[in-house]
Amino acid sequence: TTTPQTDQAQPAQTSWSDLDTDKNGTLSATEAEANPGLKAHFEQADADADGALTGDEYREFLAKRDSGMQTEPGKKPKS
C-alpha cells in the first residue's frame, strides 16, 4: 500500500505569532513577506500607513474585503 503524502495536500497555515518574529504584536512589511497573500495586501491593510500592521487593522481589512466594501484610498464606500 502507498501512504498519501500529507505535506502536499494543503500548505500549512501560518499564525500571526509565527509571522511576528520580533514579538512586538504588529507585523512589519518585512515580516509580512513570509505570507504571499498578506504581502500582496499589506499596504491596503495598514490603515494608518505607519508600516506596522496591527491585528485590528488586519481584521478590519478582511471584514471590508469579505463584505465587498473595499475602496480605493481616499474614496468613501458607496451607500
Side-chain angles (χ1 to χ4, degrees), residues 18-61:
D18 290 337
L19 294 172
D20 184 17
T21 58
D22 63 7
K23 305 302 180 201
N24 68 349
T26 64
L27 298 182
S28 67
T30 302
E31 290 170 320
E33 287 179 4
N35 180 305
L38 183 56
K39 178 184 174 184
H41 299 289
F42 184 86
E43 288 184 19
Q44 289 176 295
D46 182 16
D48 60 6
D50 67 350
L53 184 61
T54 66
D56 288 341
E57 285 176 323
Y58 190 57
R59 282 186 290 276
E60 186 176 320
F61 167 77

